[in-house]
Amino acid sequence: MGFITDLRNAESDKVSFVTAHEIVHQWWGHQITPADVQGAQVLSESLAEYSAHLVYR
Ligand SMILES: [Zn+2]
């Protein structure tokens, strides 16, 4: 994505946002892991998405 995305006319920097999302997964999902129950992935993804928005903002 970082090599082929053309950001010249983009309204937002999706590459930076996706990078932030993946970096915060080092916390949400790797350091802090939910119990192995239904909805565990939703919790990790939601918190990673929220944190990425804070970083991006
Ligand atoms: Zn994710």
Side-chain angles (χ1 to χ4, degrees):
M1 180 181 202
F3 292 110
I4 63 172
T5 302
D6 183 358
L7 295 171
R8 286 177 285 191
N9 296 318
E11 292 181 12
S12 62
D13 182 358
K14 291 182 175 64
V15 174
S16 293
F17 181 80
V18 170
T19 301
H21 178 96
E22 297 307 329
I23 289 171
V24 300
H25 265 309
Q26 296 300 310
W27 184 253
W28 302 119
H30 288 272
Q31 294 296 312
I32 305 295
T33 55
D36 188 17
V37 296
Q38 187 175 17
Q41 294 298 321
V42 172
L43 186 61
S44 288
E45 284 303 320
S46 298
L47 289 168
E49 195 74 358
Y50 176 71
S51 300
H53 277 282
L54 294 180
V55 169
Y56 189 74
R57 186 170 65 177

